[in-house]
């Protein structure tokens, strides 16, 4: 289950209750995913569908991702780099 922390009041919210929290918290400018520590602004958090798995988080020393997961993550990292470069160029 994905939890986010509000930047305004530091309240932790489940993804399912985050939109109601944002409406009622006037100081909420961004939210941060507890699992992967990525900060989202505006409605960007809605598209956050994957981050570290429980195995990656809690079994770091023994966890080994399969080849498909590594390729998928490499493609996602490349795409994030393209988006970041486009944001910086704009």
């Amino acid at each position: 289950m994905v939890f986010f922390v509000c930047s305004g009041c530091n309240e932790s919210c489940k993804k399912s209750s985050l939109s109601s929290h944002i409406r009622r918290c006037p100081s909420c400018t961004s939210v941060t995913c507890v699992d992967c520590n990525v900060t989202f602004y505006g409605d960007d958090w809605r598209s956050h569908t994957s981050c570290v798995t429980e195995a990656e988080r809690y079994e770091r020393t023994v966890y080994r991702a399969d080849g498909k997961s590594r390729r998928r993550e490499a493609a996602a990292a490349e795409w994030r780099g393209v988006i970041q470069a486009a944001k910086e160029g704009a």
Side-chain angles (χ1 to χ4, degrees):
M1 186 170 301
V2 180
F3 278 87
F4 293 89
V5 175
C6 173
S7 65
C9 65
N10 288 331
E11 182 177 339
S12 295
C13 302
K14 286 191 259 183
K15 187 174 183 178
S16 59
S17 63
L18 191 57
S19 59
S20 64
H21 173 79
I22 291 172
R23 281 193 304 269
R24 110 180 153 255
C25 181
S27 59
C28 183
T29 57
S30 64
V31 293
T32 302
C33 176
V34 173
D35 291 330
C36 63
N37 205 28
V38 175
T39 302
F40 299 94
Y41 297 91
D43 283 345
D44 293 344
W45 60 270
R46 293 182 189 274
S47 63
H48 185 57
T49 56
S50 66
C51 57
V52 286
T53 64
E54 286 187 14
E56 289 173 293
R57 185 171 184 186
Y58 298 113
E59 300 170 7
R60 290 182 189 170
T61 57
V62 295
Y63 177 76
R64 294 180 67 130
D66 62 346
K68 189 185 294 184
S69 296
R70 281 182 282 198
R71 286 190 302 273
R72 190 178 316 127
E73 181 55 37
E78 182 180 343
W79 179 247
R80 286 190 297 267
V82 168
I83 297 298
Q84 186 65 29
K87 284 172 60 176
E88 292 172 358

